[in-house]
Structures are given as structure tokens and as C-alpha cells.
Amino acid sequence: MTGRYFTLNVIIRKNQIEAAHGLDIGEDETQLHSVETVSAFRQAVLEGWPEGKVTWALSWEALTDPSSRYQDIRRLVREYRQAYGDDVTYFLGGYFANAYSPREKVRRELHLGLQKVREVMGVSPESVIAGFLSAQNMKWLAEEEGIHVCQGTIWSQFSIDNQDGEGSVCYPYYPSIQHFCKPAQSPSDQVDCVNLDGWTVDFLAARRPGFEGGFNSRMGIGPIETLGAFPPETAMEEIEAVTKTHFGQENLDRNGFGFLTVAWEIALVTQIGRLDCLTRWLRWMKDTWPDAQMLTEGGFGLLWRAHHKDNCGLRYHFVQQGTGIGGSDEDKQIKWFQTQAFRLALLKDLNTGEEQVIDFTRYDTDAKEPEGLTRHWSLMGDLNQKGTRPQDKPRSFRELPDEWQRLILQAVPELDKRRSE
């Protein structure tokens, strides 16, 4: 699989967090949702990337509200599906369904939501937008609903918003039935549902827990964390730098393809605005990389699935230097290796040249998701980038246990020289 791919997911809801049917948390956002805001957003996309496709994800209340406001919105996105090839799907649980409901309840609400989408749109969606979703629910999604793509992980989310999900891979993978953050290790372990990240973030900022140091660990190409937090030119500088990390030629040489994804909530059209920046970014991406494709979430996930029947050979490699904006330290460089068996991060101080391992998360060992209702869904490995545990002290590669070094060098032999440094 080669090329550059971008997916844009747009959330339409009534309440800020519709955690479950009948359970709303946060503010009523009804007045922020209208035909005018939806139309303004789609026009901004059209002006920036005319052939680009959007994934519209509607919450249960947005799908069922009988008011003319939401009837008109549903009619409009149905027209977009027909006119532009957009996809319309279900937005489950306000990003955090499994934090508030047991798996069986999530299963029922997912079924009802997809049934309603099919009824309203006349066709089945290509994917589901869930924020986080347990492995068992993804398994049911594939086997019972026939949907094989899910935005079911938010990479590096920890100590921020309403659920933690630190520990996964940030590019496509088939999850293990043991844990949605863990890539499957064998066919018997594999959930046949491509798991996709929700927001592409700045790797330097993302190594921080939550808002540590006054910075936002979710900063990257997201509208709240970047466009809503900085002056327009600074925000665009950060967004373009993160885009280059994934669409630049060096990344394509490493991975074969580049993937960027972001979610906008329609409420942000009123709360933040900056649709001119969205248009500018889309146009810049398209002009800089004419081969880039803006696909629906399902379209991209199914394309990856067509090229990969399992996680064998999964090996993603990223290198990013800090931008000096927010929590992206200008004097640091981070290298990520994400494979079927583990993920590994090395942080380099560009002033001293010292490089240390800050994350080593094994996927070839057993994992277990929580049973009860909790925000804590992370897969914390032997050494975690967030540095929140005593064991998370950075160390040089040669200080790693021999067993870790052997496993790493099997997949990343170019690191062999680190043993003697």
C-alpha cells in the first residue's frame, strides 16, 4: 500500500457527551447545530479540496430528534452523501461508550444506532466513529453488523478528557481480542475490524500526560488543541509541521504510505470558527502533494484491509523534531517504531546528542481490558512515554534488559549500534 491519505470525521450531536441512550453529560449543544453551520463547514471543505470526501457521524439524539432543526440536518448530510460520496455513520457514546456502559449495552446501542442510520440514509455506513471501543464490541461490529472499520482508539490519550486509552499503534492495525490497544498476534487472536486513530497529534507534545506543564498533550492537527489555542499563523505552522511528518517523502520511504486523520465537531464552527484556516490547510495539502487522497474513514480503512489480511509485517517508523510550539520542544527529536510485537520510542536531546528510550510497550504478552465501568483503559507497557510511574524513568538502549534488546533488534536491526553506544 502506497500513497498519502487523509480522513476528516465530523461529529453532529445534541449534547456534548451522549454517553448512552438517556445519559447525557456536559452541555446541551442544540443551538450550535444548524443547517447553516453544517453547510458552512462543507463549503469550507469544498473550497479547499473539491473532490475530498467527509465522514459525518451523528449521535443517537441527532439521528432521532424530531425537530425541524435536526430533520433538516439529516436531509442535508444525506444530500452530501449522494453529491460528494461522503459517508454518514453513527457516533457512539460521545467517544467514551465503554467507560459508561457494559459491553452488552454498548452492543445493543451500536446495533440500534446503525439500524437508524440505515433507515435514515437508505444505505449501510462504511465505518463507525467511536472514540474508544472495546475489542469485544469491535468483534461484534464486524461479525454482526458487517462493518470492518472503526475509529476505535485515540492515540496517546491519557489524563485528559473522559477516558484514557494510552498504549496503541497510531496507524491502522487489527486489534487483539484481548485489548483494543494491542495489535493481534495471530489469526485466532485477531478482530476483523481495522482500528483507526481519531486525531493525528504532535509526537513531542503527546509524550506528556494531560496538560502537564501547561501544555496540551493532544496538540497536533486538531481544531480545539491547535486552531482554538493559538493565533492563526502559529496554529497553521504547527498543523503544517505535523502534516509534513506524515506526508513528507521521508515518511513515505519509511512506511510506504502516510496517514492523517482529524475530527471536527460541528459545534466548533460557532465556538472556534477558523473555517478559513481549514480551507487553507486542505488547499495547501492538495497543492503540495497532488497524489494525496481525502477518503472517508471507511474508504481508507477498507483500502488498508484489502492490502493486509493480518498484522504480519506491521512496522511503522516515524521521526519528528519539535516545532517549539506548545509542548513540542524545539530542542528534541523523537523516533517511534511501532510493530506487531511492540512499540518503542527514543527521545533525543539535540543540544547534547543524548538519546534515551522513553517507551517500550510489548504486544507479544497477554493483556486484559477492564471489566467494570472506568476511565482507565490504557495498555501501559514496561516503560511508558507519559512517565507517570516510578518504572517509567528514561534509559539508554544499552541499559534495556537483554530480552528487550533481542526482541527489538529482530524487528528493527538498524538499532544494533545502540548496544555499543
Side-chain angles (χ1 to χ4, degrees):
M1 181 170 172
T2 60
R4 298 173 173 91
Y5 304 94
F6 171 59
T7 62
L8 173 58
N9 304 318
V10 187
I11 310 302
I12 299 176
R13 59 199 184 196
K14 282 196 65 180
N15 189 273
Q16 186 180 14
I17 301 175
E18 296 177 28
H21 294 184
L23 177 61
D24 288 341
I25 299 172
E27 300 178 1
D28 185 335
E29 294 184 342
T30 301
Q31 298 304 315
L32 300 176
H33 291 79
S34 66
V35 164
E36 289 75 21
T37 53
V38 173
S39 177
F41 187 90
R42 193 62 183 86
Q43 185 61 33
V45 173
L46 194 62
E47 292 174 3
W49 203 321
E51 67 274 31
K53 296 178 173 60
V54 172
T55 301
W56 303 91
L58 278 65
S59 71
W60 176 253
E61 293 178 23
L63 282 166
T64 59
D65 188 280
S67 69
S68 59
R69 177 189 300 270
Y70 281 96
Q71 286 191 42
D72 290 344
I73 289 174
R74 293 192 292 267
R75 172 188 52 77
L76 191 59
V77 296
R78 185 166 58 244
E79 291 176 1
Y80 291 156
R81 186 189 66 78
Q82 297 167 344
Y84 304 124
D86 292 356
D87 191 30
V88 184
T89 188
Y90 184 45
F91 174 51
L92 172 70
Y95 300 115
F96 316 115
N98 290 117
Y100 296 107
S101 300
R103 290 168 180 78
E104 277 291 345
K105 185 178 181 183
V106 173
R107 179 186 194 176
R108 292 193 298 272
E109 295 192 354
L110 187 56
H111 175 72
L112 290 173
L114 289 170
Q115 192 175 47
K116 181 58 69 173
V117 170
R118 293 173 183 125
E119 175 187 320
V120 172
M121 295 298 149
V123 295
S124 183
E126 302 171 332
S127 66
V128 162
I129 306 302
F132 295 109
L133 192 62
S134 75
Q136 183 61 65
N137 283 120
M138 268 192 265
K139 187 172 186 291
W140 286 328
L141 178 65
E143 295 176 351
E144 298 177 2
E145 306 295 340
I147 294 178
H148 297 277
V149 180
C150 181
Q151 185 282 300
T153 189
I154 302 176
W155 192 80
S156 182
Q157 179 149 316
F158 187 84
S159 193
I160 194 169
D161 293 330
N162 290 40
Q163 186 175 339
D164 297 336
E166 159 71 346
S168 68
V169 169
C170 65
Y171 268 26
Y173 65 97
Y174 292 106
S176 162
I177 193 59
Q178 294 181 351
H179 200 295
F180 73 92
C181 286
K182 172 183 173 178
Q185 300 297 296
S186 67
S188 61
D189 178 46
Q190 180 169 303
V191 177
D192 187 14
C193 188
V194 180
N195 199 8
L196 297 178
D197 184 20
W199 287 265
T200 302
V201 295
D202 185 303
F203 287 124
L204 275 303
R207 78 185 198 279
R208 304 171 186 275
F211 297 97
E212 184 184 67
F215 301 115
N216 191 324
S217 61
R218 306 301 307 150
M219 185 185 73
I221 64 174
I224 295 174
E225 302 83 357
T226 311
L227 287 176
F230 300 98
E233 290 308 313
T234 304
M236 292 305 297
E237 181 183 347
E238 170 66 18
I239 288 172
E240 290 182 7
V242 173
T243 302
K244 289 176 183 177
T245 297
H246 296 271
F247 275 13
Q249 190 59 48
E250 290 184 357
N251 184 67
L252 260 67
D253 291 342
R254 297 181 188 108
N255 299 317
F257 73 98
F259 172 51
L260 287 164
T261 186
V262 71
W264 269 71
E265 292 139 7
I266 278 296
L268 299 178
V269 175
T270 301
Q271 293 173 324
I272 293 178
R274 300 281 178 89
L275 289 182
D276 58 328
C277 291
L278 173 63
T279 297
R280 173 181 162 185
W281 175 42
L282 296 178
R283 186 178 295 137
W284 170 78
M285 272 197 288
K286 185 60 180 170
D287 289 346
T288 305
W289 300 285
D291 66 310
Q293 299 180 60
M294 181 177 170
L295 305 180
T296 62
E297 189 84 349
F300 169 71
L302 290 174
L303 178 63
W304 187 87
R305 183 172 179 260
H307 284 82
H308 304 275
K309 64 179 181 179
D310 52 38
N311 292 325
C312 291
L314 186 148
R315 182 188 185 276
Y316 300 130
H317 179 199
F318 311 97
V319 180
Q320 183 186 342
Q321 182 172 333
T323 62
I325 298 169
S328 185
D329 308 79
E330 192 172 17
D331 62 345
K332 300 290 191 300
Q333 180 196 71
I334 195 166
K335 295 178 183 177
W336 269 105
F337 299 90
Q338 301 175 9
T339 76
Q340 182 181 24
F342 63 87
R343 71 176 203 176
L344 170 76
L346 298 97
L347 184 68
K348 185 175 183 178
D349 187 315
L350 297 177
N351 294 318
T352 65
E354 181 183 19
E355 188 172 62
Q356 293 185 307
V357 177
I358 62 168
D359 192 291
F360 181 64
T361 303
R362 295 184 66 166
Y363 299 131
D364 63 341
T365 56
D366 286 338
K368 184 176 177 59
E369 292 179 345
E371 292 296 331
L373 303 183
T374 174
R375 68 165 291 144
H376 304 293
W377 286 75
S378 295
L379 180 61
M380 304 291 275
D382 296 289
L383 182 61
N384 183 263
Q385 64 170 333
K386 301 293 185 180
T388 58
R389 306 170 299 175
Q391 71 196 66
D392 294 330
K393 184 179 179 180
R395 63 198 79 171
S396 68
F397 188 85
R398 67 175 181 274
E399 291 177 312
L400 301 180
D402 289 342
E403 179 187 359
W404 298 9
Q405 292 191 37
R406 286 194 296 271
L407 178 64
I408 291 168
L409 294 176
Q410 286 176 3
V412 193
E414 61 264 38
L415 292 180
D416 188 46
K417 64 179 182 178
R418 298 296 196 285
R419 297 178 113 175
S420 57
E421 289 180 350

